Amino acid sequence: MSATGEISSETEGGSRPGTGVGRRAWVALGVLWFIYVLNFLDRQLLSILAKPIQDTLNITDGQLGLLGGLYFAFFYCFIAIPVGWLADRTNRVAVVSIACGIWSAATIACGLSRNFGQLAASRMTVGFGEAGGVPPSYAIITDYFPPGRRGMALGLYNLGPPVGAALGIAFGASIAAAFSWRDAFVAIGIVGVLTAVVAPILMKEPKRGGLDMAAGAPAPEKAGFWSTVRMFFSRPVLVLAALGSGVTQIITYGLGNFAVLFLMREKGMTLSDVALWYALVVAICMSGGIFASGWLIDRYTRRSKKAYALLPAISLTLAVPLYIAFVWAPSWPLALALLCGPTFLNYFYLSSSVALVQEEVKPNQRVMSGALLLLVMNFIGMGAGPTYVGAASDFFRNTNPDHSLQMALYTLTPVYLVAIGLFLVLARILGRDTARAGGQA
């Protein structure tokens, strides 16, 4: 262990490039994964319990969209930058643990809210805390797993959102059905606070860049804040990965924040139905898509870096007709069956973009670069997606009061085409870079 609290990648449980992955790496991945599960579970409770919250607090679809979209995204995205800068210079494990404690306490506060203003303040605090969870985790995982194993490791880590969403649906809806939506927020928040206390005991800080340097090489210098920002936004590959992911998230967050309300209000599902059937769809299909994408990335990027962009482009193309059919479906069983396709295919972009950015930047820029990736894609997707769908639903309510959310979700279809186009442009640039690198070899 170094004087800064970092453990060498060559110590017990660590690994060197070209060797197996040690026990310590898998423990760290498991802890970070569970924290990510809580991160997404807390984040998704609002959309899962939208109908009982609306019934209690008398808020509109537009206000729900702001709570899950712009209000949350503003704090989540922009706080991630100073948190990333801090984590690049301090103990990243401590940053993740403190962040988990903050967002979990704020989740409890959501359950105690008595009006829209209190709920909005609590949700923004959840966003403030969750900003410190993911970027440091990306860098910790990258420093525990060697090149060639990172796509799978990050793919496993990115199973956190579907598992968190599924658990939120199952437990959140079940608790709300048996007791109240407030109890669901409080119970899950308490679990997060306890996890924040235990995490630093189970997980240690890895050596920064230890798996990217030759044995005995000095540790990289700390990256400058503005130099990392300039580097990120001056490289078309990184910018296009962030933009393509952000546009894709307009769909995933726009649909995700209103899917339960849509299925309950316009398709006839009950909270009990949601707790079982919708939870299964999210758990199996979203997890399957993210896991498959991580495996495919490791397999095909060995041949060409174009795979980082072509895989999301192909998956989104296949998702379009299934998404349209889901929105059209006249009953909730058929709608859920059709939703399996987009739920599996919509998330290929995530592991692709995260792995690409982490591979393309220097080890001492990984946390900050991960934060910048999240800033761009989440401010676009998380900020615009739910906000737009909620506002569109309020707009269509004047002419289609019984199917306003259906009309709003239909209007997300062209967004698929924009995302596909961005990933195809990225594939072209990556192919050119691969050809240039091959010519120089």
Side-chain angles (χ1 to χ4, degrees):
M1 181 177 292
S2 70
T4 59
E6 296 179 350
I7 62 167
S8 170
S9 298
E10 300 174 14
T11 58
E12 179 188 359
S15 54
R16 295 180 183 179
T19 69
V21 177
R23 173 180 55 81
R24 194 187 294 273
W26 291 111
V27 171
L29 179 61
V31 173
L32 291 171
W33 174 83
F34 185 71
I35 291 174
Y36 200 11
V37 168
L38 292 176
N39 179 310
F40 216 81
L41 195 160
D42 292 354
R43 190 187 312 177
Q44 292 298 301
L45 275 181
L46 180 72
S47 60
I48 295 162
L49 303 176
K51 193 173 188 304
I53 291 172
Q54 277 190 326
D55 294 341
T56 303
L57 301 183
N58 297 315
I59 58 179
T60 67
D61 288 354
Q63 288 175 315
L64 271 177
L66 287 170
L67 287 172
L70 188 61
Y71 291 171
F72 183 92
F74 184 83
F75 279 82
Y76 181 79
C77 296
F78 287 100
I79 296 299
I81 300 302
V83 168
W85 178 86
L86 177 67
D88 267 330
R89 285 159 174 73
T90 60
N91 188 294
R92 295 165 294 182
V93 172
V95 170
V96 172
S97 300
I98 292 170
C100 180
I102 292 173
W103 83 60
S104 299
T107 299
I108 295 173
C110 288
L112 303 177
S113 299
R114 298 296 171 182
N115 54 52
F116 175 75
Q118 292 177 2
L119 185 58
S122 299
R123 287 296 294 173
M124 287 187 282
T125 307
V126 172
F128 177 88
E130 291 190 1
V134 179
S137 297
Y138 286 158
I140 293 170
I141 292 168
T142 304
D143 281 338
Y144 264 119
F145 288 82
R149 303 293 297 275
R150 289 169 179 165
M152 179 62 72
L154 290 167
L156 289 171
Y157 174 70
N158 283 322
L159 291 175
V163 174
L167 289 177
I169 295 162
F171 290 109
S174 297
I175 293 171
F179 301 99
S180 77
W181 63 268
R182 297 183 186 279
D183 294 323
F185 277 96
V186 173
I188 292 171
I190 290 173
V191 173
V193 171
L194 295 176
T195 301
V197 174
V198 174
I201 301 172
L202 300 176
M203 176 174 53
K204 304 302 179 184
E205 179 78 358
K207 183 178 180 181
R208 296 171 195 263
L211 300 181
D212 298 275
M213 299 181 294
E221 296 180 0
K222 298 187 186 301
F225 177 84
W226 290 113
S227 62
T228 303
V229 172
R230 287 193 296 270
M231 176 280 300
F232 189 95
F233 288 105
S234 67
R235 297 184 60 182
V237 165
L238 303 181
V239 173
L240 280 169
L243 289 176
S245 300
V247 173
T248 304
Q249 284 193 343
I250 293 177
I251 302 164
T252 59
Y253 277 111
L255 172 61
N257 275 263
F258 284 95
V260 172
L261 184 60
F262 174 59
L263 289 167
M264 290 183 67
R265 197 169 72 194
E266 300 190 18
K267 303 295 184 184
M269 287 190 83
T270 65
L271 269 177
S272 298
D273 294 329
V274 168
L276 175 60
W277 299 111
Y278 183 64
L280 285 173
V281 168
V282 171
I284 296 171
C285 299
M286 192 189 299
S287 298
I290 291 176
F291 183 82
S293 67
W295 181 80
L296 290 170
I297 288 163
D298 280 345
R299 179 181 176 87
Y300 288 103
T301 54
R302 295 169 187 165
R303 305 177 186 177
S304 172
K305 290 170 66 175
K306 289 173 64 176
Y308 282 118
L310 286 178
L311 286 171
I314 293 169
S315 69
L316 292 173
T317 300
L318 295 174
V320 173
L322 295 170
Y323 172 78
I324 295 172
F326 154 72
V327 179
W328 161 83
S331 65
W332 72 259
L334 179 59
L336 270 188
L338 292 167
L339 184 59
C340 290
T343 303
F344 180 86
L345 296 165
N346 279 352
Y347 293 89
F348 274 51
Y349 78 94
L350 187 56
S351 295
S352 288
S353 295
V354 170
L356 175 61
V357 169
Q358 294 292 302
E359 291 282 359
E360 288 287 307
V361 303
K362 298 176 182 178
N364 61 340
Q365 295 177 320
R366 281 179 175 148
V367 176
M368 186 65 187
S369 297
L372 290 168
L373 172 67
L374 291 178
L375 167 66
V376 176
M377 71 182 191
N378 285 330
F379 193 69
I380 293 172
M382 188 189 300
T387 305
Y388 167 75
V389 172
S393 179
D394 284 351
F395 173 80
F396 286 119
R397 181 158 296 188
N398 294 325
T399 54
N400 294 273
D402 296 328
H403 300 285
S404 61
L405 267 175
Q406 183 182 50
M407 298 300 296
L409 292 174
Y410 270 133
T411 64
L412 286 178
T413 306
V415 181
Y416 272 106
L417 305 181
V418 178
I420 292 166
L422 287 167
F423 280 117
L424 290 177
V425 174
L426 175 59
R428 183 178 178 183
I429 294 175
L430 288 172
R432 189 173 61 207
D433 291 349
T434 301
R436 185 183 299 117
Q440 293 173 351

